[in-house]
């Protein structure tokens, strides 16, 4: 445990890992400890501030390593932990289930008492899935679509990181 923030991600083909690394880079690598959830999530309880990322597979299914970890997550007390979510998906191929995995993690973490930050505007996306939606105008976390909008990813990450820095206890960048 070197940083004060833990980032847990689940990935199948590596997209979510790449996004996770970009987020850590933006926030400052010394502040963020990266964990692949397939190696276990036991360290989660040691941190007060968490960044949680997942892709969606099989038409609306949570990434499989997250899915495997869920029973253990149910027993963790996440009360008061600050959580920022991000999801990777494909809004053109899977508009009805776009980012469902992120929506599922939102529900699970919310139920365990987490406090969320980093809600992200839905403007600029085209999809119909209700699960990753917080309210009319916002996702529950950062929405990344490397399949169709890869050129927007770096800018989205940068803006989102600026947005969540204060809630994660990091100062603004100069
Ligand atoms: C068979 C298949 C099913 C998919 N299902 C969904 C889906 O239901 N919703 C979604 O948003 N993306 C879906 N995707 C897109 C992936 O989530 C997307 O490519 C993501 O970036 C993969 O990230 P990963 O490599 O980190 O797992 C699917 C992709 C494939 C090939």
């Amino acid at each position: 445990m070197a940083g004060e923030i833990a980032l847990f991600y689940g990935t199948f083909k590596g997209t979510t890992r790449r996004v996770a690394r970009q987020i850590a880079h933006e926030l400052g690598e010394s502040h963020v400890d990266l964990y692949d959830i397939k190696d276990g999530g036991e360290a989660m309880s040691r941190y007060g501030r968490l960044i949680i990322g997942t892709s969606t597979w099989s038409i609306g299914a949570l990434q499989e390593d997250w899915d495997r970890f869920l029973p253990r997550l149910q027993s963790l007390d996440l009360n008061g932990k600050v959580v920022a979510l991000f999801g990777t998906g494909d809004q053109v191929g899977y508009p009805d289930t776009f980012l469902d995995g992120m929506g599922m993690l939102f529900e699970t973490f919310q139920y365990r008492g987490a406090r969320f930050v980093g809600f992200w505007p839905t403007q600029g996306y085209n999809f119909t899935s209700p699960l990753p939606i917080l309210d009319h105008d916002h996702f529950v976390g950062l929405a990344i679509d490397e399949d169709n909008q890869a050129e927007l990813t770096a800018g989205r990450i940068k803006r989102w990181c600026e947005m969540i820095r204060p809630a994660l206890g990091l100062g603004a960048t100069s």
Side-chain angles (χ1 to χ4, degrees):
M1 184 170 168
E4 63 273 38
I5 300 161
L7 190 164
F8 289 87
Y9 62 86
T11 184
F12 184 54
K13 291 197 163 170
T15 311
T16 313
R17 180 183 299 111
R18 281 198 301 280
V19 172
R21 286 182 177 152
Q22 282 176 262
I23 291 170
H25 182 73
E26 276 305 321
L27 293 174
E29 270 137 25
S30 60
H31 296 295
V32 184
D33 297 338
L34 281 179
Y35 296 92
D36 188 332
I37 196 66
K38 89 166 164 357
D39 301 326
E42 282 64 33
M44 211 175 277
S45 55
R46 297 206 298 269
Y47 294 83
R49 289 161 263 174
L50 302 171
I51 302 174
I52 301 292
T54 187
S55 50
T56 301
W57 282 91
S58 307
I59 313 180
L62 183 59
Q63 192 275 335
E64 65 179 19
D65 300 311
W66 271 117
D67 201 42
R68 215 168 290 132
F69 181 67
L70 274 197
R72 274 180 287 159
L73 186 62
Q74 309 288 1
S75 64
L76 286 183
D77 180 9
L78 301 173
N79 246 310
K81 288 193 193 291
V82 175
V83 175
L85 294 171
F86 70 96
T88 56
D90 171 355
Q91 65 195 291
V92 175
Y94 307 92
D96 303 345
T97 54
F98 181 50
L99 303 179
D100 270 8
M102 178 168 73
M104 289 174 203
L105 288 184
F106 176 75
E107 284 180 6
T108 310
F109 276 76
Q110 188 178 43
Y111 188 68
R112 309 295 328 145
R115 184 164 75 78
F116 293 95
V117 298
F119 304 130
W120 184 250
T122 50
Q123 201 186 357
Y125 301 82
N126 203 351
F127 66 98
T128 50
S129 56
L131 228 52
I133 294 302
L134 176 76
D135 59 31
H136 190 61
D137 304 317
H138 293 90
F139 289 105
V140 294
L142 175 64
I144 295 295
D145 185 345
E146 276 283 277
D147 296 271
N148 308 289
Q149 298 179 325
E151 72 285 0
L152 301 179
T153 295
R156 283 171 170 167
I157 290 173
K158 214 173 172 50
R159 273 192 292 141
W160 187 68
C161 286
E162 283 307 312
M163 184 196 239
I164 63 174
R165 286 184 80 87
L168 295 178
L170 302 172
T173 48
S174 52

